[in-house]
Amino acid sequence: MPEVHEPLRIVVVDDHTVMRAGVVALLAPVPDISVVGEAGDGREALDLVERLAPDVALVDLRMPVMDGVEATAAITAGPAGTRVLILTTYDTDVEIERAVEAGAVGYLLKDTTADQLAEAVRAAARGETVLAPRVAERLVALMRRPAPVVLTSRERDVLGAVADGLSNAEIGRRLVIAEATVKTHLLRVFAKLDVSDRTHAVVVALERGLLTRREHARRVGGAGTHPA
């Protein structure tokens, strides 16, 4: 006789009653998926998961009491082994990053078809990553972004003095450091900003928010008149 598998047990978590009912109706005809519980907020979802230990929780992001990200983190950290699949209308970079970091195995949008939703639930139960196409595109774009530049406080001080048009010797006197040390800091700033001169360092730093508007307003033409 062929092996008979129990249906996947899922809970649906959404603060909108009509949306929950819609998801349940979409999955009702699917023979290998069974909706065993519903919750209207993250706290209710945690109680359901602890009591029922479902295979997958379909979780909305923005809910009262406890939002979807908090609920996801708590569910994935718990002993039930429940996978979390986000089902939401929001596809901003911040929302996606927070959900993935919280431990969600998938991220779907509410324009997903019944067949896509069912297959996503099966994949999530297997621990596979499931992403809506738009979400996948955003994640790829996020991964391709250059890493943010981080300057030390001393490098920012030196760069601010460069923005004031000071020479290395003048910067040294202002900051009470050796002129050679000033040059070392500048070379590190050039490397971090991928520039080769002082003027471009100031311009790029301003564009990336590493110099304040006040510093920019004070900047004089001498910023590019001195070597590193």
Side-chain angles (χ1 to χ4, degrees):
M1 292 181 62
E3 186 179 354
V4 177
H5 295 281
E6 291 292 325
L8 294 173
R9 303 168 69 254
I10 74 167
V11 295
V12 179
V13 185
D14 196 304
D15 61 321
H16 293 99
T17 305
V18 173
M19 181 57 66
R20 287 204 313 273
V23 172
V24 172
L26 283 177
L27 295 174
V30 183
D32 61 333
I33 295 175
S34 175
V35 177
V36 297
E38 301 177 39
D41 61 59
R43 177 59 61 189
E44 289 181 8
L46 286 182
D47 293 339
L48 269 183
V49 168
E50 289 175 4
R51 181 161 50 89
L52 302 175
D55 298 295
V56 177
L58 281 174
V59 179
D60 190 18
L61 281 181
R62 300 188 184 179
M63 299 181 293
V65 184
M66 176 186 287
D67 69 14
V69 171
E70 290 180 90
T72 296
I75 290 171
T76 56
T82 300
R83 315 280 189 181
V84 176
L85 182 57
I86 299 298
L87 182 62
T88 185
T89 57
Y90 305 101
D91 63 348
T92 65
D93 293 350
V94 172
E95 303 281 11
I96 294 169
E97 283 186 283
R98 290 181 67 222
V100 171
E101 288 173 356
V105 297
Y107 197 111
L108 297 180
L109 302 177
K110 288 181 177 177
D111 57 2
T112 300
T113 68
D115 288 342
Q116 290 170 336
L117 181 58
E119 187 52 44
V121 168
R122 297 184 190 106
R126 295 190 296 266
E128 299 173 7
T129 301
V130 186
L131 300 173
R134 290 208 309 271
V135 174
E137 290 173 4
R138 285 186 175 275
L139 278 176
V140 170
L142 283 171
M143 292 174 64
R144 288 177 176 170
R145 286 181 184 172
V149 173
V150 178
L151 300 180
T152 66
S153 59
R154 182 57 82 189
E155 287 167 350
R156 289 195 301 271
D157 290 340
V158 169
L159 194 57
V162 170
D164 287 341
L166 302 185
S167 67
N168 288 353
E170 291 167 333
I171 294 171
R173 286 194 292 273
R174 172 189 282 189
L175 301 179
V176 195
I177 57 177
E179 187 174 345
T181 303
V182 172
K183 187 167 185 176
T184 298
H185 286 308
L186 277 178
L187 291 175
R188 288 175 180 165
V189 169
F190 290 179
K192 289 182 177 182
L193 299 180
D194 193 23
V195 298
S196 58
D197 61 65
R198 298 158 68 96
T199 298
H200 286 130
V202 170
V203 171
V204 172
L206 180 65
E207 290 174 348
R208 298 188 185 185
L210 300 174
L211 282 181
T212 66
R213 289 292 171 184
R214 179 184 61 81
E215 289 168 333
H216 175 57
R218 295 184 315 181
R219 182 163 59 87
V220 297
T225 61
H226 307 284

